[in-house]
């Protein structure tokens, strides 16, 4: 990780919200883009924190403090991202983290990037059940359903929703489904019948644009 990110990384690691926000804002003032701050510092730091948690070097309270610092950074940087947003809606997307899963930091980054790139996004938050997602997608007249899953036990919920869309005649083929999150792989997503997979928020936008083109051709 580059030296310019050391203060921010240390502040997140310590779970110090005030220092995290201040370090992030200093980087923005120095001309570093919010996206770069996330991809080059915040995300790798969270991966480190997750690894430390797995090795029992830190425990849940520390992971929660770090996550809270990241949420405060997201809130502080949001206006800088939104400033770049485009006007015309390129498509309509319902996004949520799947049943039983409360992780939303990555989902929120994906949501913001989609909005910044011109999509109208309805955010269902966390712990969204397949039925809730499908109903919301129909009510919102969505083109795309975007699901985030961060834990292995969350994966069956992704599959359940894709299966439900197949079984329910009136929804069959109505929405494109894209998925992402730590335990989700491109191969798994394809095998489950998802239309798209994104490794990160930048790829999420590329995939959403490609899915909209597909819909246009269909
Ligand atoms: C922060 C965190 C928490 C926070 C969550 C705060 C929040 N509001 O999100 C707290 C402390 C609450 C938490 C709780 C728990 N956590 Co936790 N957590 C993490 C941690 C450290 C970081 C996750 C994160 O935010 N990453 C940063 C973001 C930016 O990355 P991301 O989510 O992957 O998103 C990117 C891409 O995946 C992609 N993406 C994401 N979603 C989508 C969607 C679409 C459509 C697309 C295209 C792309 C896409 O784009 C994003 C941006 O680039 C991870 C470690 C890790 N390696 O992931 C563990 C981790 C996910 N947690 C884990 C566990 C076990 C738990 C707990 C069960 C712990 C416990 N004993 O209670 C609970 C579960 C609570 C629940 N029911 O959900 C495990 C999961 C293990 C597994 N594989 O099943 C991990 C991997 C830690 C570990 N190594 O053990 N956690």
């Amino acid at each position: 990780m580059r030296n310019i990110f050391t203060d921010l990384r240390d502040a997140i690691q310590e779970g110090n919200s005030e220092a995290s926000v201040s370090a992030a804002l200093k980087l923005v003032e120095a001309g570093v883009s919010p996206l770069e701050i996330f991809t080059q510092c915040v995300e790798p730091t969270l991966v480190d924190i997750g690894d430390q948690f797995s090795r029992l070097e830190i425990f849940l309270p520390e992971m929660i403090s770090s996550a809270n610092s990241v949420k405060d950074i997201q809130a502080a940087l949001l206006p800088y991202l939104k400033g770049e947003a485009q006007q015309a809606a390129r498509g309509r997307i319902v996004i949520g983290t799947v049943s039983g899963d409360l992780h939303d930091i990555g989902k929120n980054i994906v949501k913001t990037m989609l909005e910044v790139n011109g999509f109208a996004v309805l955010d269902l938050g966390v712990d969204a059940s397949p039925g809730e997602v499908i109903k919301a997608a129909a009510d919102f007249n969505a083109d795309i359903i975007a699901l985030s899953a961060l834990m292995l036990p969350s994966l069956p919920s992704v599959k359940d929703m894709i299966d439900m869309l197949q079984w329910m005649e009136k929804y069959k083929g109505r929405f494109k489904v894209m998925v992402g999150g730590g335990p989700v792989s491109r191969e798994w997503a394809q095998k489950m019948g998802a239309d798209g997979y994104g490794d990160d928020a930048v790829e999420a936008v590329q995939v959403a644009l490609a899915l909209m083109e597909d819909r246009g051709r269909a």
Side-chain angles (χ1 to χ4, degrees):
M1 193 180 295
R2 281 152 63 198
N3 282 345
I4 52 162
F5 293 124
T6 312
D7 286 351
L8 179 57
R9 183 200 59 198
D10 292 350
I12 297 171
Q13 177 76 55
E14 284 160 19
N16 183 337
S17 256
E18 214 176 298
S20 299
V21 169
S22 147
L25 289 175
K26 260 194 206 141
L27 287 165
V28 172
E29 277 157 25
V32 185
S33 81
L35 187 62
E36 215 179 321
I37 293 174
F38 270 93
T39 54
Q40 296 193 19
C41 178
V42 176
E43 292 185 25
T45 303
L46 281 173
V47 170
D48 271 0
I49 288 169
D51 292 346
Q52 291 164 22
F53 177 75
S54 301
R55 295 193 298 264
L56 304 179
E57 290 166 8
I58 60 166
F59 297 95
L60 197 56
E62 283 107 316
M63 194 155 81
I64 292 174
S65 299
S66 295
N68 288 340
S69 304
V70 171
K71 296 214 112 186
D72 289 343
I73 296 171
Q74 281 184 317
L77 296 192
L78 196 61
Y80 296 93
L81 274 166
K82 284 277 167 71
E84 297 159 14
Q86 301 182 4
Q87 291 309 310
R90 283 177 152 164
R92 299 174 70 75
I93 301 183
V94 163
I95 193 167
T97 302
V98 299
S99 288
D101 196 330
L102 303 179
H103 295 87
D104 65 357
I105 293 173
K107 185 263 298 165
N108 291 343
I109 299 177
V110 171
K111 173 196 167 188
T112 304
M113 282 302 289
L114 289 168
E115 286 177 338
V116 165
N117 283 279
F119 287 91
V121 184
L122 174 67
D123 184 2
L124 301 180
V126 296
D127 192 19
S129 71
E132 190 186 337
V133 174
I134 293 171
K135 183 176 182 312
D139 292 347
F140 188 61
N141 195 19
D143 302 292
I144 297 172
I145 292 175
L147 295 180
S148 182
L150 260 287
M151 300 189 297
L152 278 173
S154 315
L155 293 182
S157 181
V158 176
K159 180 168 173 16
D160 286 351
M161 202 217 59
I162 294 173
D163 287 348
M164 269 169 85
L165 284 176
Q166 287 297 320
W167 298 329
M168 296 164 91
E169 207 44 55
K170 70 173 176 174
Y171 295 128
K172 205 171 176 173
R174 179 158 165 198
F175 313 109
K176 297 282 183 188
V177 178
M178 63 188 234
V179 295
V184 183
S185 70
R186 202 172 299 278
E187 295 69 34
W188 185 85
Q190 204 174 11
K191 211 164 132 197
M192 292 307 119
D195 302 292
Y197 162 83
D199 211 28
D200 55 29
V202 173
E203 197 181 0
V205 173
Q206 292 162 351
V207 171
L209 290 171
L211 292 178
M212 288 310 295
E213 263 186 39
D214 266 9
R215 274 176 80 81
R217 275 197 293 267

